[in-house]
Amino acid sequence: MIRTAPSARPHGPAASRSPFVPRVVGAAALAALLTVTGCSGHGGRGGSGSDAGAGPSVPADGGGRQGAPGSALPALDSLAVKRPATKTGYARDRFGSAWADTDGNGCGTRDDILKRDLRGAAFRDAKKCVVVSGTLPKDPYTGKSLSYQRGRSTVDIDHVVALSDAWQTGARQWPARKRVALANDPLNLIAVEASANRSKSDGDAADWLPPYPGYRCTYVARQVAVKKKYGLWVTRAEKDAMAKVLNSCPRQALPGGGTPTEAPARFTAK
């Protein structure tokens, strides 16, 4: 999401634990107790020091899985784990002008995403660049069907990995054209319900997950894909929250595609 001053981040409930574990149990019973069963819990954001190159992440309840080949779970374990860097110096324009046409198709990135995600889109122009209406059949964050009307819509375009979060996990040191690329990469952009998007602010997976549980695996897999593609790191709390989600769907595919990780030379940022 595009924010210049993020709001306070909400924190979800702690992961539940079994209230009673027998002193002596059989191997099969112990394995059952250690099975990961949920995907909705998430804790607070934070780091645990110099954890770069840490091994496979295990959720707080102790039940880890390896994940299928090509899935998001092993990709998560390839990400470096570090403390978040300072937010000092962050501003939206450090990622270039909003909705720059980095793919050179003559349309702004925002309209490109609306065309991709809406159904029954109507356009203002013959070139079909400016979307004026359409329907989001199932909002990823709430599960609701939404109508889009340009200028008075309840639909936002969200950066799945928030730009402020990216700034704090590696983008602060990037060249400007790489920051412009991230801000306009379709891999990192989805059309969503506006109020849910604004409640997310610049939170990572440890701070915020979609209210609609059915999208959480897809959402976290997309965050992992973006961070892997651009070489961003995760905090320890973020990685544990991501692992908790993905352990419930170990075959969740890692998405790919999008635009190159460097915008064309005609684009710049402060």
Side-chain angles (χ1 to χ4, degrees), residues 2-162:
I2 295 177
R3 284 298 212 184
T4 56
S7 59
R9 301 176 180 174
H11 294 273
S16 60
R17 299 175 183 266
S18 173
F20 172 72
V21 178
R23 183 170 299 179
V24 179
V25 295
L30 180 58
L33 285 168
L34 294 176
T35 300
V36 177
T37 58
C39 74
S40 60
H42 49 94
R45 178 175 182 140
S48 59
S50 299
D51 294 321
S57 178
V58 178
D61 59 10
R65 301 185 187 183
Q66 291 185 337
S71 68
L73 194 55
L76 170 61
D77 285 323
S78 73
L79 301 180
V81 181
K82 302 180 184 181
R83 293 180 183 272
T86 178
K87 192 176 175 180
T88 301
Y90 168 73
R92 174 60 181 86
D93 59 11
R94 299 304 298 270
F95 291 80
S97 300
W99 312 129
D101 178 21
T102 56
D103 63 2
N105 70 351
C107 303
T109 302
R110 182 176 186 274
D111 283 293
D112 283 342
I113 302 306
L114 289 172
K115 284 191 288 185
R116 184 195 68 186
D117 292 353
L118 298 181
R119 299 295 175 267
F123 301 89
R124 176 184 298 166
D125 57 329
K127 191 176 179 181
K128 294 188 175 180
C129 270
V130 182
V131 181
V132 294
S133 65
T135 301
L136 189 61
K138 191 171 187 179
D139 165 44
Y141 288 176
T142 66
K144 302 174 184 177
S145 176
L146 301 173
S147 293
Y148 171 78
Q149 293 290 329
R150 196 174 194 92
R152 50 188 178 87
S153 177
T154 60
V155 176
D156 277 356
I157 306 299
D158 181 38
H159 289 98
V160 177
V161 173

